Amino acid sequence: MARYEAVIGLEVHAQLQTLTKAFCPCSTQFGAPPNSNTCPVCLGLPGALPVLNEKALGLALRASLAINAKIQEKSRFARKNYFYPDLPKGYQISMYELPLALDGWLEIEVEGVKKRIGITRLHMEDDAGKSLHEGFPDSDRWSYIDLNRCGVPLIEIVSEPDLRTPAEAYAYLNTLKQILEYTEVSDCNMEEGSLRCDANVSVRLRGAPKFGTKAEVKNLNSFRYLAHALEYEIERQIGVLESGGTITQETRLWNVAGGRTEPMRSKEMAHDYRYFPDPDLLPVTVSARMIEEIRAAMPELPDAKVARFVKDYGITPYDAGVLTSTRALANYFEGTVKAGAPAKSAANWIAGELLRRLKDAGKEIADSPMAPSALAGLLATVEKGEITAASGKKVFAQMFDSGKSAADIIAAEGLAQISDTGAIEKIARAVLEKNPDNLAKYRSGNEGVFKFFVGQVIRETRGQANPQLVNEILKKVLAGD
Ligand code: ADP
Ligand code: ZN
Ligand code: MG
């Protein structure tokens, strides 16, 4: 395998976050009763005329800018003709020779190495319906058609063949997803099919001047499938070449249960689709002013947010990267700071405790049982020294589980930090008395034992003693004895 190199290009479909469909006023609501969100336009009834959804165009333009692509002044919808039961019009409305935007790029990072991935084009199209082959009465004899998804607006983003490993493909899809979510272009919900990915893969001997023949793998609807399918397909192609065979250009399917790619059909060519301009739709003209308006309304992108967090909050680029991984998490962090928490400790607690507990509970930040203001309340008590950092973690856990405030838990549990010098001194003396061997070691010059004593005293107070006071008092007691 070391002698070979893979070449990968991704075609990503994202559903635009609009309330209504691309060319008719039907709702895009997911999970509505079958065939309830339909009308003559999306059912492809004769004589019905499509009208472009302006909101969909706006989102597609926003996505184009976010991936650094050049919006074309003139683009045009085309009919991509093919027969399928879930496609009542007999064609998909897409863009062909004049797409909405060309020549963009994204920066990805894999193991600390940054790389720019070219994007060939972005175009708009409409979705097909769904054929359902299981889970219904008589599924062994009948297939069912649900046309609710027919005409839902999509964008397709086609990358250049710049990716070289499954890890790069994974990072590319992840970066793209993050940008589309940030800009609210798409909710990118992969389970509901709002983000779908086809992967084109070929292999060649390292250093070979030309690309090999590619296969296109469809049905990659999760990050895991993408990585597994690519690994499988790369190995398969190398195997074919090593045994003297040739790769056929074809479309393959990822078989989830079998963990392998399988031939689906020989590759269709563009001319098979008999593309032609859709005579029912006007060409799309985008003025410079429109582009400026879209640019002005563009939400902050992930990279810009990372830079701002580092600069404004003085946190590390690493923490900034973690905290901006989703817009919801970034908002949570900023909400905590706004509620009065020091930025650095907010960053530490959110990136550490909060994310760990959310992960363990299988929850997203949106379902956090702790509001930003509640976390800020806890951090303030730690900051002021009212409780120790160790108690802080205990309180955090209880707040997370019960939704109670920090103050209530501290009062109920008697966790307020012990700053009573008399009490600490008493415990310090008891600890020394209980550990004569270590005391002797200390006396004979082993200063390392001091830390042990500090630890013991804090333990005796169940983590509530003020560590700085414990240090001072222990020093005093040891010096005086
Ligand atoms: P087609 O016309 O067969 O659909 P395209 O040129 O439109 O091919 O490319 C489709 C996708 O395949 C793009 O993402 C592109 O980057 C990728 N691609 C093109 N050639 C190769 C290759 N030899 N190996 C891997 N991917 C490729
Ligand atoms: Zn409709
Ligand atoms: Mg193509």
Side-chain angles (χ1 to χ4, degrees), residues 6-11 120-121 157-163 198-203 211-216 249 267-270:
V7 172
I8 303 163
L10 298 188
E11 296 171 82
T120 318
R121 56 188 271 149
I157 299 171
V158 181
S159 88
E160 288 287 300
D162 287 349
L163 303 157
D198 301 333
N200 297 270
V201 204
S202 63
V203 299
F211 291 156
T213 304
K214 70 174 157 60
E216 181 178 2
Q249 173 144 337
K267 169 74 187 168
E268 68 290 350
M269 302 299 231

Side-chain angles (χ1 to χ4, degrees), residues 107-141:
E107 189 172 74
I108 62 163
E109 188 173 331
V110 175
E111 284 167 13
V113 182
K114 294 197 164 137
K115 181 171 170 183
R116 192 181 269 210
I117 306 301
I119 291 172
T120 318
R121 56 188 271 149
L122 180 153
H123 66 255
M124 298 180 74
E125 54 188 35
D126 69 352
D127 209 347
K130 276 186 201 167
S131 301
L132 306 158
H133 309 291
E134 49 201 53
F136 289 89
D138 289 325
S139 286
D140 52 333
R141 297 199 299 143

